[in-house]
Amino acid sequence: MNQPQQFSANEIAKALEPLIRRIIREELTRIAQKEPNIFHLTPEMPLYKDMKDIKKRKAKGHIKLHSHDEVWGG
């Protein structure tokens, strides 16, 4: 009789991560297309200020931003 194959938590996570990333990317794209004004930043918001800071540091070469492929795996 065949024994069920057992996988470690790391193996399961490694197998599921690309699928989860794809689903999240597709859902975020769908939401952004359906509700284009759902996410809006104003200059008073901390996230807006953080994004400006990131942009300045990127322009000065102080940080490296990852490419789409590096973040989403292709």
Side-chain angles (χ1 to χ4, degrees), residues 2 7 10 12 16-17 21 29 42-43 47-48 54 62 67:
N2 289 341
F7 298 96
N10 285 340
I12 293 170
L16 289 176
E17 184 177 358
R21 285 179 182 272
T29 301
T42 63
L47 182 56
Y48 182 92
I54 290 169
H62 293 157
S67 70

Side-chain angles (χ1 to χ4, degrees), residues 10-43:
N10 285 340
E11 290 171 321
I12 293 170
K14 188 175 181 178
L16 289 176
E17 184 177 358
L19 177 63
I20 293 168
R21 285 179 182 272
R22 190 179 87 228
I23 291 168
I24 291 171
R25 181 174 58 243
E26 289 171 359
E27 284 301 303
L28 288 175
T29 301
R30 184 186 62 77
I31 290 167
Q33 289 172 345
K34 186 177 177 183
E35 298 288 337
N37 296 320
I38 198 166
F39 188 73
H40 179 75
L41 294 177
T42 63

Side-chain angles (χ1 to χ4, degrees), residues 41-68:
L41 294 177
T42 63
E44 301 80 35
M45 299 172 80
L47 182 56
Y48 182 92
K49 293 172 185 170
D50 290 342
M51 297 299 284
K52 269 184 87 169
D53 180 56
I54 290 169
K55 183 179 178 182
K56 285 179 189 175
R57 290 188 287 148
K58 169 76 168 119
K60 292 179 182 177
H62 293 157
I63 61 172
K64 177 196 180 295
L65 299 179
H66 297 283
S67 70
H68 183 275

